[in-house]
Amino acid sequence: MELRPSPAADGRYPAPDFELPNQFGEPTRLSGLKGSPVLLVFYPFAFSSVCSGELDELEAVRGEFDRGGIRILAVSCDSKYSLRAYAQARGYSFDLLADFWPHGEVAHAYGAFDAEHGRPLRASFIIDQEGTVRRVIRSDAGTPRPLQAYRDAFKELASS
C-alpha cells in the first residue's frame, strides 16, 4: 500500500486503494467501488461513546446517503469479530471495516493514524466516483464530526 500522495493545488489527491474485511469477514476494496461516491470514516474504537454517537447518527440518516448513491465505510483497528458484535448491538447496516492487521495500515496511508495511542484519528474522507479525495473532515479526540459537514461536502460534490 502506498502512502497518501501530496495533494494537488486544489487539495485533491487519489484515494489510496485498500482491501479490508468487513464485520462479516467479506473483503471490501475501495477501487471496487469506483462509480459511487464514498464516505470513508475513521473512528478510534468500537463501543466508545463518541464513536457510537457518530455512527448512530450516520445510521439514522443512511437513507439520505443511499439516495445519493453514497457508500458509507467506517474503519477502526478493531477486529472483525468485535466489529460484528458492535454492528449487531448498535444496529449498523453499513460496512464496518477492520484495519486490524497490519495494525492501522490503511489509517496510516490516509494520514489518519495516531501512533502514540495506536488508533485511528477522528477523520473522514469524501471520495468522489473516480476515487479522488475531495474533502477531509477532522475533529479532535472526544469531539464528534458534524453531520452537516458531510451533507455540505456531498452537496458540493453533486454540483461539481
Side-chain angles (χ1 to χ4, degrees):
M1 176 170 315
E2 295 179 14
L3 290 180
R4 180 175 47 127
S6 298
D10 62 4
R12 299 175 186 180
Y13 56 92
D17 195 20
F18 62 84
E19 182 175 298
L20 291 173
N22 70 9
Q23 65 266 37
F24 303 106
E26 302 162 338
T28 300
R29 179 172 285 283
L30 181 64
S31 59
L33 302 177
K34 280 197 177 170
S36 298
V38 173
L39 172 58
L40 182 63
V41 179
F42 288 95
Y43 64 100
F45 301 110
F47 294 103
S48 62
S49 62
V50 174
C51 298
S52 294
E54 286 187 302
L55 297 184
D56 288 353
E57 193 171 45
L58 286 173
E59 182 62 38
V61 299
R62 179 155 186 235
E64 178 183 326
F65 287 97
D66 286 348
R67 284 188 297 281
I70 300 161
R71 184 78 180 266
I72 300 171
L73 301 176
V75 182
S76 75
C77 292
D78 298 294
S79 75
K80 65 184 176 185
Y81 306 106
S82 295
L83 295 178
R84 185 178 309 157
Y86 185 44
Q88 185 175 8
R90 305 296 297 192
Y92 299 142
S93 57
F94 48 84
D95 285 321
L96 302 182
L97 304 181
D99 193 10
F100 182 70
W101 197 259
H103 187 75
E105 181 179 51
V106 174
H108 180 73
Y110 277 82
F113 188 73
D114 178 354
E116 181 180 341
H117 296 100
R119 61 183 169 96
L121 296 167
R122 200 170 299 286
S124 298
F125 297 80
I126 308 303
I127 302 170
D128 69 16
Q129 297 87 330
E130 286 77 43
T132 301
V133 174
R134 298 287 293 267
R135 185 179 293 179
V136 179
I137 300 165
R138 296 178 182 268
S139 67
D140 294 330
T143 304
R145 290 156 282 197
L147 180 62
Q148 190 59 46
Y150 299 145
R151 288 178 169 141
D152 293 345
F154 283 112
K155 183 177 179 182
E156 181 182 305
L157 182 62
S159 68
S160 63

